[in-house]
Amino acid sequence: MLGRSRLPFVLLAVAVTCAVAQDVPPWTEDCRKSTYPPSGPTYRGPVPWYTINLDLPPYKRWHELMADKAPALKVIVNSVKNMVNAFVPSGKIIQIVDQKLPGLLGNFPGPFEEEMKGIAAVTDIPLGEIISFNIFYELFSMCTSIITEDKQGHLLHGRNMDFGIFLGWNINNHSWVITEELKPLTVNLDFRRNNKTVFKSSSFAGYVGMLTGFKPGLFSLTLNERFSTNGGYIGVLEWLLGKKDAMWIGFIIRSVLENSTSYEEAKNILTKTKILAPAYFILGGNKSGEGCVITRDRKQALDVYELNPKQGRWYVVQTNYDRWKNPFFLDDRRTPTKMCLNRTTQKNISFATIYDVLSTKPVLNKLTVYTALMDVTKGQFETYLRDCPDPCIAW
Ligand SMILES: *[C@@H]1O[C@H](CO)[C@@H](O)[C@H](O)[C@H]1NC(C)=O
Ligand SMILES: *[C@@H]1O[C@H](CO)[C@@H](O)[C@H](O)[C@H]1NC(C)=O
Ligand SMILES: *[C@@H]1O[C@H](CO)[C@@H](O)[C@H](O)[C@H]1NC(C)=O
Ligand SMILES: *[C@@H]1O[C@H](CO)[C@@H](O)[C@H](O)[C@H]1NC(C)=O
Ligand SMILES: *[C@@H]1O[C@H](CO)[C@@H](O)[C@H](O)[C@H]1NC(C)=O
Ligand SMILES: *[C@@H]1O[C@H](CO)[C@@H](O)[C@H](O)[C@H]1NC(C)=O
Protein backbone atom coordinates (compact mmCIF):
# COMPACT_ATOMS: atom_id res chain seq x y z
CA MET A 1 0.00 0.00 0.00
CA LEU A 2 1.17 3.49 -0.78
CA GLY A 3 1.74 6.07 1.88
CA ARG A 4 0.42 9.57 1.55
CA SER A 5 3.62 11.14 0.45
CA ARG A 6 4.51 8.69 -2.28
CA LEU A 7 1.25 8.54 -4.15
CA PRO A 8 1.36 11.98 -5.82
CA PHE A 9 4.95 11.37 -6.82
CA VAL A 10 4.17 8.06 -8.47
CA LEU A 11 1.18 9.53 -10.27
CA LEU A 12 3.28 12.39 -11.51
CA ALA A 13 5.98 10.03 -12.74
CA VAL A 14 3.40 7.88 -14.49
CA ALA A 15 1.74 10.94 -16.02
CA VAL A 16 5.00 12.31 -17.34
CA THR A 17 5.96 8.97 -18.83
CA CYS A 18 2.60 8.74 -20.49
CA ALA A 19 2.64 12.30 -21.72
CA VAL A 20 5.75 11.70 -23.73
CA ALA A 21 4.85 8.21 -24.73
CA GLN A 22 1.19 7.37 -24.94
CA ASP A 23 1.03 7.25 -28.71
CA VAL A 24 4.28 5.42 -29.36
CA PRO A 25 5.43 1.84 -28.74
CA PRO A 26 5.68 0.06 -26.36
CA TRP A 27 2.54 1.78 -24.96
CA THR A 28 0.65 1.20 -28.16
CA GLU A 29 0.98 -1.61 -30.61
CA ASP A 30 -0.22 -2.66 -33.99
CA CYS A 31 -3.79 -4.00 -34.00
CA ARG A 32 -3.65 -7.46 -32.47
CA LYS A 33 -4.63 -10.53 -34.48
CA SER A 34 -5.67 -14.07 -33.58
CA THR A 35 -5.83 -13.51 -29.81
CA TYR A 36 -9.10 -15.47 -29.56
CA PRO A 37 -9.89 -17.91 -28.04
CA PRO A 38 -8.06 -16.16 -25.21
CA SER A 39 -4.65 -17.48 -24.13
CA GLY A 40 -1.19 -16.20 -23.28
CA PRO A 41 0.01 -13.43 -20.95
CA THR A 42 -2.94 -11.02 -21.47
CA TYR A 43 -5.43 -13.68 -20.37
CA ARG A 44 -5.70 -14.15 -16.59
CA GLY A 45 -8.42 -16.81 -16.67
CA PRO A 46 -12.12 -17.63 -16.91
CA VAL A 47 -14.91 -16.01 -14.89
CA PRO A 48 -17.14 -18.32 -12.82
CA TRP A 49 -20.92 -18.44 -13.30
CA TYR A 50 -23.45 -18.10 -10.48
CA THR A 51 -27.23 -18.09 -10.51
CA ILE A 52 -29.18 -15.36 -8.73
CA ASN A 53 -32.71 -16.51 -8.05
CA LEU A 54 -35.09 -13.54 -8.30
CA ASP A 55 -37.87 -15.63 -6.77
CA LEU A 56 -36.07 -15.52 -3.43
CA PRO A 57 -36.70 -12.52 -1.16
CA PRO A 58 -34.04 -9.82 -1.87
CA TYR A 59 -32.40 -10.38 1.52
CA LYS A 60 -31.55 -13.99 0.61
CA ARG A 61 -30.66 -13.75 -3.10
CA TRP A 62 -26.96 -13.17 -2.70
CA HIS A 63 -26.25 -15.59 0.14
CA GLU A 64 -24.81 -18.45 -1.89
CA LEU A 65 -22.53 -16.22 -3.98
CA MET A 66 -21.40 -14.13 -1.01
CA ALA A 67 -20.64 -17.18 1.11
CA ASP A 68 -17.98 -17.99 -1.54
CA LYS A 69 -16.78 -14.44 -2.10
CA ALA A 70 -16.79 -12.91 1.40
CA PRO A 71 -13.00 -13.30 1.87
CA ALA A 72 -12.22 -11.57 -1.45
CA LEU A 73 -14.70 -8.80 -0.66
CA LYS A 74 -13.05 -8.24 2.74
CA VAL A 75 -9.68 -7.80 1.06
CA ILE A 76 -10.89 -4.98 -1.16
CA VAL A 77 -12.98 -3.30 1.55
CA ASN A 78 -9.89 -3.30 3.78
CA SER A 79 -7.72 -1.82 1.04
CA VAL A 80 -10.13 1.03 0.54
CA LYS A 81 -10.25 1.59 4.31
CA ASN A 82 -6.45 1.69 4.43
CA MET A 83 -6.37 4.23 1.64
CA VAL A 84 -8.95 6.40 3.34
CA ASN A 85 -7.06 6.15 6.63
CA ALA A 86 -3.82 7.06 4.86
CA PHE A 87 -5.40 10.33 3.71
CA VAL A 88 -7.35 11.07 6.89
CA PRO A 89 -5.49 9.17 9.60
CA SER A 90 -7.87 9.60 12.54
CA GLY A 91 -10.09 6.67 11.52
CA LYS A 92 -13.02 9.10 11.78
CA ILE A 93 -14.18 8.60 8.20
CA ILE A 94 -14.57 4.85 8.56
CA GLN A 95 -16.35 5.41 11.86
CA ILE A 96 -18.82 7.71 10.12
CA VAL A 97 -19.29 5.23 7.28
CA ASP A 98 -19.98 2.38 9.67
CA GLN A 99 -22.20 4.24 12.09
CA LYS A 100 -23.84 7.03 10.16
CA LEU A 101 -23.83 6.30 6.44
CA PRO A 102 -26.82 3.92 6.34
CA GLY A 103 -28.93 6.49 8.19
CA LEU A 104 -27.63 9.42 6.14
CA LEU A 105 -28.37 7.77 2.82
CA GLY A 106 -31.81 6.64 3.91
CA ASN A 107 -33.72 3.98 2.07
CA PHE A 108 -32.74 2.78 -1.36
CA PRO A 109 -35.60 1.96 -3.70
CA GLY A 110 -36.74 -1.43 -4.93
CA PRO A 111 -34.83 -4.51 -3.89
CA PHE A 112 -31.50 -2.72 -3.34
CA GLU A 113 -31.80 -1.90 0.36
CA GLU A 114 -32.72 -5.45 1.37
CA GLU A 115 -30.15 -6.99 -0.98
CA MET A 116 -27.33 -4.90 0.55
CA LYS A 117 -28.53 -5.78 4.06
CA GLY A 118 -28.46 -9.46 3.12
CA ILE A 119 -24.93 -9.15 1.78
CA ALA A 120 -23.77 -7.34 4.94
CA ALA A 121 -25.27 -10.09 7.08
CA VAL A 122 -23.75 -13.03 5.25
CA THR A 123 -20.28 -11.46 4.85
CA ASP A 124 -20.21 -9.91 8.30
CA ILE A 125 -19.11 -6.58 6.82
CA PRO A 126 -20.82 -3.45 8.25
CA LEU A 127 -23.74 -2.26 6.10
CA GLY A 128 -22.16 1.19 5.70
CA GLU A 129 -19.13 -0.40 4.06
CA ILE A 130 -21.28 -2.53 1.74
CA ILE A 131 -23.18 0.62 0.73
CA SER A 132 -19.88 2.46 0.10
CA PHE A 133 -18.68 -0.44 -2.04
CA ASN A 134 -21.88 -0.08 -4.08
CA ILE A 135 -21.51 3.67 -4.50
CA PHE A 136 -17.84 3.50 -5.43
CA TYR A 137 -18.57 2.11 -8.91
CA GLU A 138 -20.34 5.31 -9.80
CA LEU A 139 -17.02 7.14 -9.50
CA PHE A 140 -13.95 5.33 -10.80
CA SER A 141 -14.68 3.35 -13.97
CA MET A 142 -12.85 4.01 -17.21
CA CYS A 143 -13.95 1.76 -20.03
CA THR A 144 -14.18 1.04 -23.72
CA SER A 145 -17.47 -0.18 -25.22
CA ILE A 146 -18.17 -1.17 -28.82
CA ILE A 147 -21.28 -2.19 -30.76
CA THR A 148 -20.83 -3.52 -34.29
CA GLU A 149 -23.17 -4.58 -37.07
CA ASP A 150 -21.95 -6.98 -39.75
CA LYS A 151 -23.01 -7.15 -43.40
CA GLN A 152 -25.92 -9.45 -42.47
CA GLY A 153 -27.25 -6.96 -39.89
CA HIS A 154 -26.07 -9.10 -36.98
CA LEU A 155 -25.08 -7.11 -33.87
CA LEU A 156 -22.26 -7.73 -31.40
CA HIS A 157 -21.42 -5.80 -28.23
CA GLY A 158 -18.01 -5.82 -26.53
CA ARG A 159 -16.47 -4.00 -23.62
CA ASN A 160 -13.35 -3.67 -21.53
CA MET A 161 -14.02 -2.90 -17.88
CA ASP A 162 -11.20 -0.66 -16.69
CA PHE A 163 -11.44 0.14 -13.01
CA GLY A 164 -9.37 1.37 -10.10
CA ILE A 165 -7.52 4.46 -11.24
CA PHE A 166 -5.86 6.59 -8.51
CA LEU A 167 -6.69 4.00 -5.88
CA GLY A 168 -3.14 2.91 -5.08
CA TRP A 169 -0.34 1.66 -7.31
CA ASN A 170 1.64 -1.46 -6.41
CA ILE A 171 5.23 -0.50 -7.16
CA ASN A 172 6.52 -4.06 -6.79
CA ASN A 173 4.72 -5.55 -9.74
CA HIS A 174 3.40 -2.43 -11.49
CA SER A 175 -0.29 -2.94 -11.00
CA TRP A 176 -3.25 -1.05 -9.59
CA VAL A 177 -4.18 -2.41 -6.18
CA ILE A 178 -7.96 -2.26 -6.62
CA THR A 179 -7.90 -3.51 -10.21
CA GLU A 180 -6.05 -6.62 -9.06
CA GLU A 181 -8.33 -7.15 -6.09
CA LEU A 182 -11.41 -6.96 -8.31
CA LYS A 183 -10.32 -9.89 -10.45
CA PRO A 184 -11.17 -12.58 -7.85
CA LEU A 185 -14.51 -10.82 -7.26
CA THR A 186 -15.49 -10.86 -10.94
CA VAL A 187 -18.42 -13.17 -11.62
CA ASN A 188 -20.91 -13.92 -14.36
CA LEU A 189 -24.46 -13.85 -13.08
CA ASP A 190 -27.50 -15.59 -14.48
CA PHE A 191 -30.56 -13.85 -12.99
CA ARG A 192 -33.51 -16.22 -13.09
CA ARG A 193 -37.23 -16.01 -12.46
CA ASN A 194 -39.34 -19.19 -12.54
CA ASN A 195 -36.10 -20.97 -13.31
CA LYS A 196 -35.74 -19.05 -16.60
CA THR A 197 -33.02 -16.56 -17.45
CA VAL A 198 -34.20 -12.94 -17.23
CA PHE A 199 -30.78 -11.41 -17.90
CA LYS A 200 -27.08 -12.17 -17.62
CA SER A 201 -24.41 -9.88 -16.34
CA SER A 202 -20.73 -9.70 -15.52
CA SER A 203 -20.30 -8.05 -12.18
CA PHE A 204 -18.32 -7.80 -8.96
CA ALA A 205 -19.57 -9.90 -6.04
CA GLY A 206 -21.04 -7.59 -3.40
CA TYR A 207 -22.33 -5.08 -5.95
CA VAL A 208 -26.11 -5.10 -6.50
CA GLY A 209 -26.18 -2.61 -9.38
CA MET A 210 -25.02 -3.66 -12.83
CA LEU A 211 -22.50 -2.23 -15.31
CA THR A 212 -22.49 -4.87 -18.08
CA GLY A 213 -25.28 -7.20 -19.12
CA PHE A 214 -27.74 -8.46 -21.67
CA LYS A 215 -31.21 -9.84 -22.03
CA PRO A 216 -31.04 -12.69 -24.54
CA GLY A 217 -33.01 -11.94 -27.71
CA LEU A 218 -33.73 -8.34 -26.67
CA PHE A 219 -30.86 -5.99 -25.80
CA SER A 220 -27.37 -5.53 -24.37
CA LEU A 221 -26.23 -2.67 -22.15
CA THR A 222 -22.96 -1.31 -20.76
CA LEU A 223 -22.10 1.73 -18.66
CA ASN A 224 -19.05 3.93 -19.17
CA GLU A 225 -18.27 6.69 -16.73
CA ARG A 226 -18.52 10.28 -17.91
CA PHE A 227 -16.46 12.94 -16.18
CA SER A 228 -18.09 16.32 -15.83
CA THR A 229 -17.82 19.26 -13.52
CA ASN A 230 -21.49 18.83 -12.70
CA GLY A 231 -20.53 15.34 -11.65
CA GLY A 232 -21.59 12.47 -9.45
CA TYR A 233 -20.32 14.10 -6.27
CA ILE A 234 -23.00 16.75 -6.54
CA GLY A 235 -25.64 14.09 -7.16
CA VAL A 236 -24.53 12.16 -4.09
CA LEU A 237 -24.56 15.35 -2.05
CA GLU A 238 -28.10 16.13 -3.17
CA TRP A 239 -29.13 12.61 -2.20
CA LEU A 240 -27.61 13.11 1.25
CA LEU A 241 -29.52 16.37 1.57
CA GLY A 242 -32.74 14.53 0.93
CA LYS A 243 -33.39 15.14 -2.76
CA LYS A 244 -34.02 11.57 -3.81
CA ASP A 245 -35.69 11.88 -7.19
CA ALA A 246 -32.66 10.66 -9.16
CA MET A 247 -31.50 7.06 -9.73
CA TRP A 248 -28.06 5.64 -8.96
CA ILE A 249 -26.53 4.63 -12.31
CA GLY A 250 -25.71 1.02 -11.51
CA PHE A 251 -29.22 0.62 -10.11
CA ILE A 252 -30.98 1.98 -13.19
CA ILE A 253 -29.02 -0.45 -15.35
CA ARG A 254 -30.01 -3.32 -13.11
CA SER A 255 -33.67 -2.23 -13.28
CA VAL A 256 -33.61 -1.93 -17.06
CA LEU A 257 -31.97 -5.34 -17.44
CA GLU A 258 -34.41 -6.90 -15.01
CA ASN A 259 -37.65 -5.27 -16.07
CA SER A 260 -37.52 -3.66 -19.54
CA THR A 261 -38.93 -5.79 -22.32
CA SER A 262 -37.57 -4.17 -25.49
CA TYR A 263 -34.72 -2.12 -26.91
CA GLU A 264 -37.07 0.85 -27.38
CA GLU A 265 -38.29 0.73 -23.79
CA ALA A 266 -34.74 0.49 -22.47
CA LYS A 267 -33.64 3.39 -24.65
CA ASN A 268 -36.53 5.51 -23.50
CA ILE A 269 -35.82 4.92 -19.81
CA LEU A 270 -32.07 5.46 -20.17
CA THR A 271 -32.64 8.68 -22.09
CA LYS A 272 -35.21 10.22 -19.74
CA THR A 273 -34.71 9.08 -16.14
CA LYS A 274 -32.93 11.53 -13.84
CA ILE A 275 -29.67 10.01 -12.66
CA LEU A 276 -27.23 10.80 -9.88
CA ALA A 277 -24.07 11.05 -11.99
CA PRO A 278 -23.31 11.79 -15.65
CA ALA A 279 -22.81 8.64 -17.75
CA TYR A 280 -22.62 7.00 -21.14
CA PHE A 281 -25.10 4.19 -21.73
CA ILE A 282 -24.15 1.92 -24.60
CA LEU A 283 -27.24 0.02 -25.71
CA GLY A 284 -27.54 -2.63 -28.42
CA GLY A 285 -30.69 -4.35 -29.70
CA ASN A 286 -31.46 -7.48 -31.69
CA LYS A 287 -31.70 -6.17 -35.24
CA SER A 288 -30.05 -3.92 -37.81
CA GLY A 289 -29.63 -0.30 -36.73
CA GLU A 290 -30.39 -0.97 -33.06
CA GLY A 291 -27.28 0.31 -31.34
CA CYS A 292 -26.59 3.64 -29.69
CA VAL A 293 -24.49 5.61 -27.27
CA ILE A 294 -26.58 7.80 -24.97
CA THR A 295 -24.54 10.66 -23.50
CA ARG A 296 -26.16 11.75 -20.26
CA ASP A 297 -25.86 14.56 -17.84
CA ARG A 298 -27.76 14.14 -14.61
CA LYS A 299 -31.06 15.47 -15.93
CA GLN A 300 -31.21 14.65 -19.63
CA ALA A 301 -29.62 13.10 -22.70
CA LEU A 302 -27.20 15.45 -24.44
CA ASP A 303 -26.78 13.21 -27.45
CA VAL A 304 -28.01 9.86 -28.80
CA TYR A 305 -25.62 8.55 -31.43
CA GLU A 306 -26.92 5.58 -33.39
CA LEU A 307 -25.70 2.94 -35.78
CA ASN A 308 -26.55 3.79 -39.34
CA PRO A 309 -25.39 0.92 -41.53
CA LYS A 310 -26.97 2.39 -44.69
CA GLN A 311 -24.65 5.36 -44.36
CA GLY A 312 -21.65 3.20 -43.53
CA ARG A 313 -21.76 3.70 -39.76
CA TRP A 314 -21.45 0.01 -38.88
CA TYR A 315 -20.04 0.54 -35.39
CA VAL A 316 -20.26 2.87 -32.41
CA VAL A 317 -17.37 3.23 -29.95
CA GLN A 318 -17.41 4.91 -26.56
CA THR A 319 -14.59 5.46 -24.07
CA ASN A 320 -14.87 8.18 -21.40
CA TYR A 321 -15.08 11.37 -23.46
CA ASP A 322 -17.90 13.06 -25.36
CA ARG A 323 -17.70 12.08 -29.01
CA TRP A 324 -17.82 15.71 -30.18
CA LYS A 325 -14.73 16.54 -28.13
CA ASN A 326 -11.15 15.31 -28.37
CA PRO A 327 -10.23 12.71 -25.78
CA PHE A 328 -7.95 13.84 -22.96
CA PHE A 329 -4.49 13.84 -24.56
CA LEU A 330 -3.07 11.36 -22.05
CA ASP A 331 -5.90 8.92 -22.57
CA ASP A 332 -6.85 8.32 -26.17
CA ARG A 333 -8.30 4.83 -26.46
CA ARG A 334 -10.88 5.99 -28.97
CA THR A 335 -8.57 6.43 -31.95
CA PRO A 336 -6.88 3.01 -31.68
CA THR A 337 -10.25 1.29 -31.17
CA LYS A 338 -11.65 2.88 -34.31
CA MET A 339 -8.48 2.32 -36.28
CA CYS A 340 -8.47 -1.40 -35.46
CA LEU A 341 -12.19 -1.73 -36.24
CA ASN A 342 -11.57 0.01 -39.56
CA ARG A 343 -8.78 -2.43 -40.33
CA THR A 344 -10.90 -5.42 -39.35
CA THR A 345 -13.61 -4.30 -41.79
CA GLN A 346 -17.32 -4.94 -41.48
CA LYS A 347 -16.97 -8.22 -43.38
CA ASN A 348 -14.74 -9.88 -40.78
CA ILE A 349 -16.40 -8.76 -37.56
CA SER A 350 -16.87 -11.50 -34.94
CA PHE A 351 -16.24 -12.21 -31.24
CA ALA A 352 -12.68 -13.07 -32.31
CA THR A 353 -11.96 -9.78 -34.04
CA ILE A 354 -13.66 -7.68 -31.34
CA TYR A 355 -11.54 -9.47 -28.75
CA ASP A 356 -8.50 -8.61 -30.92
CA VAL A 357 -9.43 -4.91 -30.80
CA LEU A 358 -10.02 -5.01 -27.04
CA SER A 359 -6.62 -6.71 -26.61
CA THR A 360 -4.67 -3.95 -28.36
CA LYS A 361 -2.76 -1.54 -26.13
CA PRO A 362 -3.75 1.01 -24.87
CA VAL A 363 -7.36 -0.19 -25.27
CA LEU A 364 -6.06 -2.99 -23.04
CA ASN A 365 -4.16 -1.40 -20.15
CA LYS A 366 -3.27 -1.90 -16.49
CA LEU A 367 -6.78 -0.95 -15.38
CA THR A 368 -8.51 -3.60 -17.47
CA VAL A 369 -10.23 -6.11 -15.20
CA TYR A 370 -12.23 -8.05 -17.78
CA THR A 371 -13.34 -8.18 -21.40
CA ALA A 372 -16.98 -9.07 -22.07
CA LEU A 373 -18.48 -10.16 -25.41
CA MET A 374 -22.23 -10.29 -26.00
CA ASP A 375 -24.33 -11.62 -28.86
CA VAL A 376 -27.96 -10.80 -28.11
CA THR A 377 -29.39 -12.68 -31.08
CA LYS A 378 -27.54 -15.92 -30.43
CA GLY A 379 -27.73 -15.53 -26.65
CA GLN A 380 -23.95 -15.82 -26.21
CA PHE A 381 -22.26 -14.10 -23.28
CA GLU A 382 -18.54 -14.50 -22.57
CA THR A 383 -16.27 -12.80 -20.03
CA TYR A 384 -12.50 -13.11 -19.67
CA LEU A 385 -10.19 -11.81 -16.94
CA ARG A 386 -7.32 -9.77 -18.38
CA ASP A 387 -3.75 -8.87 -17.55
CA CYS A 388 -1.48 -6.35 -19.19
CA PRO A 389 2.13 -7.33 -18.45
CA ASP A 390 4.92 -4.76 -18.86
CA PRO A 391 5.49 -2.85 -20.96
CA CYS A 392 1.93 -1.64 -20.60
CA ILE A 393 0.43 1.76 -19.95
CA ALA A 394 -1.15 2.40 -16.55
CA TRP A 395 -4.51 3.41 -18.14
C1 LIG B 1 -10.54 -12.26 -39.87
O1 LIG B 1 -10.20 -12.31 -38.48
C2 LIG B 1 -9.51 -13.48 -38.08
C3 LIG B 1 -9.36 -13.44 -36.55
O2 LIG B 1 -8.47 -12.47 -36.12
C4 LIG B 1 -8.17 -13.53 -38.78
O3 LIG B 1 -7.48 -14.71 -38.42
C5 LIG B 1 -8.41 -13.52 -40.28
O4 LIG B 1 -7.18 -13.43 -40.97
C6 LIG B 1 -9.27 -12.33 -40.71
N1 LIG B 1 -9.65 -12.45 -42.10
C7 LIG B 1 -9.45 -11.48 -42.98
C8 LIG B 1 -9.93 -11.76 -44.37
O5 LIG B 1 -8.93 -10.42 -42.66
C1 LIG C 1 0.68 -7.88 -7.88
O1 LIG C 1 0.81 -8.15 -6.52
C2 LIG C 1 -0.42 -8.21 -5.81
C3 LIG C 1 -0.12 -8.32 -4.32
O2 LIG C 1 0.79 -9.31 -4.07
C4 LIG C 1 -1.23 -9.39 -6.34
O3 LIG C 1 -2.46 -9.46 -5.66
C5 LIG C 1 -1.47 -9.17 -7.82
O4 LIG C 1 -2.19 -10.26 -8.37
C6 LIG C 1 -0.17 -8.96 -8.57
N1 LIG C 1 -0.50 -8.55 -9.92
C7 LIG C 1 0.14 -8.98 -10.99
C8 LIG C 1 -0.32 -8.47 -12.30
O5 LIG C 1 1.10 -9.75 -10.92
C1 LIG D 1 -34.32 -25.48 -13.52
O1 LIG D 1 -34.00 -25.82 -14.88
C2 LIG D 1 -32.93 -26.73 -15.02
C3 LIG D 1 -32.68 -26.95 -16.49
O2 LIG D 1 -32.76 -25.74 -17.17
C4 LIG D 1 -33.28 -28.04 -14.31
O3 LIG D 1 -32.17 -28.92 -14.39
C5 LIG D 1 -33.61 -27.77 -12.86
O4 LIG D 1 -34.06 -28.96 -12.24
C6 LIG D 1 -34.71 -26.73 -12.74
N1 LIG D 1 -34.87 -26.37 -11.35
C7 LIG D 1 -36.06 -26.20 -10.80
C8 LIG D 1 -36.06 -25.83 -9.35
O5 LIG D 1 -37.10 -26.34 -11.41
C1 LIG E 1 -38.64 -5.20 -11.29
O1 LIG E 1 -40.04 -5.21 -11.21
C2 LIG E 1 -40.56 -5.92 -10.07
C3 LIG E 1 -42.06 -6.01 -10.23
O2 LIG E 1 -42.59 -4.73 -10.42
C4 LIG E 1 -40.13 -5.19 -8.82
O3 LIG E 1 -40.59 -5.87 -7.69
C5 LIG E 1 -38.61 -5.16 -8.79
O4 LIG E 1 -38.18 -4.41 -7.65
C6 LIG E 1 -38.05 -4.51 -10.05
N1 LIG E 1 -36.62 -4.69 -10.05
C7 LIG E 1 -35.75 -3.68 -9.99
C8 LIG E 1 -34.30 -4.02 -9.97
O5 LIG E 1 -36.08 -2.51 -9.97
C1 LIG F 1 -36.34 -8.57 -30.95
O1 LIG F 1 -36.98 -7.78 -29.95
C2 LIG F 1 -38.37 -7.63 -30.12
C3 LIG F 1 -38.86 -6.74 -29.00
O2 LIG F 1 -38.19 -5.53 -29.04
C4 LIG F 1 -39.08 -8.97 -30.08
O3 LIG F 1 -40.46 -8.79 -30.32
C5 LIG F 1 -38.47 -9.86 -31.16
O4 LIG F 1 -39.01 -11.16 -31.04
C6 LIG F 1 -36.94 -9.95 -30.99
N1 LIG F 1 -36.36 -10.66 -32.09
C7 LIG F 1 -35.64 -11.74 -31.92
C8 LIG F 1 -35.05 -12.33 -33.15
O5 LIG F 1 -35.42 -12.23 -30.83
C1 LIG G 1 -12.27 4.92 -39.59
O1 LIG G 1 -13.03 4.93 -40.81
C2 LIG G 1 -13.93 6.05 -40.89
C3 LIG G 1 -14.79 5.82 -42.14
O2 LIG G 1 -13.99 5.56 -43.25
C4 LIG G 1 -13.13 7.32 -40.95
O3 LIG G 1 -14.01 8.44 -41.01
C5 LIG G 1 -12.32 7.43 -39.68
O4 LIG G 1 -11.48 8.59 -39.72
C6 LIG G 1 -11.44 6.19 -39.48
N1 LIG G 1 -10.85 6.32 -38.14
C7 LIG G 1 -9.61 5.91 -37.85
C8 LIG G 1 -9.14 6.20 -36.48
O5 LIG G 1 -8.90 5.33 -38.64
Side-chain angles (χ1 to χ4, degrees):
M1 193 66 39
L2 279 173
R4 250 182 310 170
S5 52
R6 261 195 295 174
L7 182 64
F9 171 73
V10 171
L11 288 178
L12 183 68
V14 171
V16 169
T17 316
C18 297
V20 293
Q22 207 223 0
D23 52 0
V24 297
W27 309 112
T28 59
E29 58 191 347
D30 209 20
C31 302
R32 296 294 308 272
K33 285 220 166 92
S34 309
T35 58
Y36 183 95
S39 67
T42 66
Y43 175 49
R44 164 76 65 102
V47 174
W49 278 97
Y50 287 84
T51 298
I52 304 295
N53 181 357
L54 291 171
D55 296 321
L56 289 175
Y59 189 81
K60 293 202 174 140
R61 282 175 192 166
W62 298 93
H63 279 201
E64 196 190 325
L65 169 65
M66 294 321 298
D68 281 5
K69 294 293 183 183
L73 183 57
K74 283 187 179 137
V75 168
I76 199 166
V77 165
N78 276 332
S79 283
V80 174
K81 274 205 250 186
N82 288 339
M83 286 173 206
V84 170
N85 285 336
F87 281 94
V88 185
S90 65
K92 276 259 160 47
I93 295 207
I94 303 297
Q95 205 183 331
I96 292 174
V97 164
D98 288 354
Q99 292 168 6
K100 300 253 166 71
L101 192 70
L104 274 175
L105 288 172
N107 284 338
F108 288 90
F112 301 115
E113 177 91 11
E114 283 298 304
E115 288 188 8
M116 288 190 285
K117 283 183 177 157
I119 290 171
V122 73
T123 56
D124 207 16
I125 297 173
L127 178 61
E129 291 173 26
I130 295 294
I131 294 174
S132 308
F133 181 77
N134 274 270
I135 293 175
F136 158 94
Y137 291 104
E138 313 259 325
L139 305 175
F140 295 99
S141 45
M142 315 267 294
C143 311
T144 304
S145 293
I146 303 172
I147 296 175
T148 61
E149 174 168 337
D150 72 10
K151 293 270 190 192
Q152 286 72 45
H154 185 101
L155 302 173
L156 297 177
H157 190 154
R159 82 111 94 240
N160 273 359
M161 168 58 76
D162 300 351
F163 193 93
I165 195 160
F166 300 148
L167 292 170
W169 176 253
N170 186 328
I171 46 176
N172 298 321
N173 63 7
H174 299 176
S175 66
W176 293 101
V177 173
I178 297 295
T179 309
E180 294 302 311
E181 291 175 353
L182 280 172
K183 290 176 189 176
L185 278 181
T186 305
V187 286
N188 287 324
L189 302 175
D190 182 358
F191 284 81
R192 295 182 152 236
R193 221 182 256 137
N194 299 320
N195 202 21
K196 270 178 42 195
T197 295
V198 178
F199 69 101
K200 293 183 178 176
S201 178
S202 25
S203 192
F204 302 121
Y207 183 53
V208 299
M210 295 293 135
L211 306 169
T212 307
F214 87 157
K215 241 181 143 104
L218 296 178
F219 60 83
S220 53
L221 176 56
T222 56
L223 169 85
N224 286 14
E225 166 146 20
R226 178 167 178 262
F227 304 100
S228 153
T229 43
N230 187 1
Y233 302 96
I234 299 174
V236 175
L237 199 64
E238 284 187 1
W239 181 281
L240 287 174
L241 295 174
K243 194 160 172 279
K244 303 200 172 166
D245 58 340
M247 283 278 273
W248 295 81
I249 315 177
F251 294 176
I252 191 177
I253 292 191
R254 160 86 185 271
S255 292
V256 165
L257 284 167
E258 197 168 308
N259 286 335
S260 293
T261 54
S262 71
Y263 172 80
E264 287 305 330
E265 183 187 340
K267 187 170 159 190
N268 194 38
I269 293 174
L270 295 169
T271 309
K272 297 194 177 134
T273 311
K274 269 202 206 173
I275 50 179
L276 226 56
Y280 303 101
F281 296 121
I282 301 89
L283 177 69
N286 65 11
K287 57 171 181 283
S288 175
E290 287 188 343
C292 63
V293 175
I294 302 167
T295 302
R296 285 292 315 258
D297 70 11
R298 295 192 293 125
K299 296 215 169 61
Q300 63 202 346
L302 302 178
D303 183 57
V304 180
Y305 189 67
E306 306 193 86
L307 287 174
N308 190 341
K310 290 207 181 80
Q311 307 215 333
R313 192 187 298 148
W314 59 274
Y315 63 74
V316 289
V317 165
Q318 182 61 45
T319 61
N320 302 94
Y321 305 96
D322 296 344
R323 72 178 173 87
W324 56 92
K325 293 184 188 153
N326 287 327
F328 179 48
F329 74 108
L330 291 180
D331 180 32
D332 184 6
R333 286 163 284 127
R334 184 203 293 165
T335 308
T337 305
K338 289 187 170 180
M339 189 183 75
C340 295
L341 284 167
N342 283 358
R343 285 216 203 146
T344 304
T345 74
Q346 191 181 6
K347 277 207 292 277
N348 200 25
I349 206 76
S350 63
F351 269 10
T353 50
I354 291 181
Y355 191 84
D356 285 341
V357 173
L358 293 172
S359 301
T360 301
K361 294 188 274 190
V363 182
L364 180 76
N365 57 68
K366 297 262 185 200
L367 288 168
T368 308
V369 179
Y370 66 78
T371 298
L373 302 169
M374 299 182 271
D375 182 333
V376 169
T377 312
K378 291 191 184 157
Q380 290 170 347
F381 189 98
E382 301 178 0
T383 312
Y384 302 99
L385 292 179
R386 304 307 305 265
D387 271 329
C388 195
D390 288 331
C392 175
I393 196 153
W395 55 77

